Amino acid sequence: AVYDETDTLVGSDDNTADGRNALLTVAVPDDGGGQRIYRVVVSGVGGSEGEYVLRVQGATGTAAFNVIDTTVADGAALASFPTYYVFDLDGQVYLPSFDASDLVIRTPSGGLVEPDSAGITDGDTVWFHVNPAGFAGDGAYTLEIAAGALASVSQVPVTAYSAVFTVDTTPPTVVDTSVAEGQVVDSGLVTINLVFSEPLATSGLDAGDVLLTDGTSTRHPDTFSYDPATMTLTVGFNDVAEGSYTLTLVSSPNAFR
């Protein structure tokens, strides 16, 4: 039986060739659909098993060989420069075609970094290691695997792959605040504006990451809002009693960063 790329049966045969062997002809539609991929399934009579020979004539196309996943995704924003890169491909890698030079990393200034080692995790997964000295400062880096840099076991050259990731090792800092160190404010409602040196990552950021303590108790703000356009955080505390307070912003992968 023959199935097309949508898993639709397009033809089947039992033994019309000579009463024992199957012969099946499939016409590829000329509808502008481009390359078609077909799957041939051979089944034994009554579920029986045995040897067989399959011959296909007239097939002219080859399936592409692509990178389908990687540990450093396109568009990733990272707090440190990665030194280990893993790529999954949609076919088995022809080992003699693979080496460390298959991956190139372009730095923010346009320089090139090449891995110092590489290897095979399994038949369709490869890894590369880059010396940490390859880090060229914060900014956008580009991963590149050139077309044909390596090949599948059926000698299909890999399709060109590229991905951009950003490294930002400099944490945001508070550059301005509406309440200065040591300033005296009225009791009751206290509103504080804090301006940061760069945009904050907002996923997971909330009022629980802001602490106001008087040495004996700690509370979180009653109101919390962040304006990415001005990089300004505004927090409000209701019914603040007289006393000496310390404001703390928690820094972590799920808080201020």
Side-chain angles (χ1 to χ4, degrees), residues 159-255:
T159 302
Y161 173 84
S162 68
V164 177
F165 66 92
T166 302
V167 177
D168 182 3
T169 60
T170 305
T173 58
V174 176
V175 295
D176 193 18
T177 176
S178 61
V179 178
E181 177 75 20
Q183 181 177 339
V184 177
V185 299
D186 294 334
S187 59
L189 172 63
V190 175
T191 301
I192 305 173
N193 298 317
L194 303 113
V195 181
F196 291 85
S197 59
E198 59 182 287
L200 299 177
T202 57
S203 175
L205 184 66
D206 58 29
D209 303 320
V210 181
L211 311 176
L212 184 68
T213 179
D214 61 3
T216 59
S217 62
T218 299
R219 60 181 291 188
H220 303 295
D222 298 289
T223 60
F224 177 99
S225 64
Y226 173 67
D227 181 2
T230 61
M231 299 178 289
T232 300
L233 173 71
T234 301
V235 293
F237 298 88
N238 297 329
D239 303 318
V240 178
E242 292 183 356
S244 179
Y245 293 88
T246 299
L247 182 71
T248 302
L249 306 181
V250 178
S251 176
S252 80
N254 294 311

Side-chain angles (χ1 to χ4, degrees), residues 54-203:
L54 173 66
R55 294 188 177 93
V56 178
Q57 296 178 321
T60 58
T62 55
F65 185 41
N66 300 307
V67 173
I68 57 174
D69 195 16
T70 176
T71 52
V72 180
D74 188 28
L78 308 175
S80 61
F81 178 68
T83 58
Y84 189 65
Y85 304 81
V86 179
F87 295 86
D88 285 328
L89 298 108
D90 59 5
Q92 300 290 302
V93 177
Y94 180 55
L95 297 184
S97 73
F98 170 71
D99 60 39
S101 65
D102 293 338
L103 174 67
V104 171
I105 303 174
R106 295 191 181 275
T107 68
S109 62
L112 298 180
V113 178
E114 293 188 355
D116 55 16
S117 59
I120 303 288
T121 302
D122 54 42
D124 59 7
T125 307
V126 299
W127 61 264
F128 300 87
H129 179 268
V130 175
N131 191 303
F135 177 54
D138 289 355
Y141 289 75
T142 303
L143 300 176
E144 296 180 354
I145 296 178
L150 63 153
S152 68
V153 292
S154 55
Q155 300 302 300
V156 177
V158 70
T159 302
Y161 173 84
S162 68
V164 177
F165 66 92
T166 302
V167 177
D168 182 3
T169 60
T170 305
T173 58
V174 176
V175 295
D176 193 18
T177 176
S178 61
V179 178
E181 177 75 20
Q183 181 177 339
V184 177
V185 299
D186 294 334
S187 59
L189 172 63
V190 175
T191 301
I192 305 173
N193 298 317
L194 303 113
V195 181
F196 291 85
S197 59
E198 59 182 287
L200 299 177
T202 57
S203 175

Side-chain angles (χ1 to χ4, degrees), residues 13-23:
D13 185 68
D14 186 12
N15 56 8
T16 60
D18 54 12
R20 181 168 62 111
N21 295 305
L23 176 64

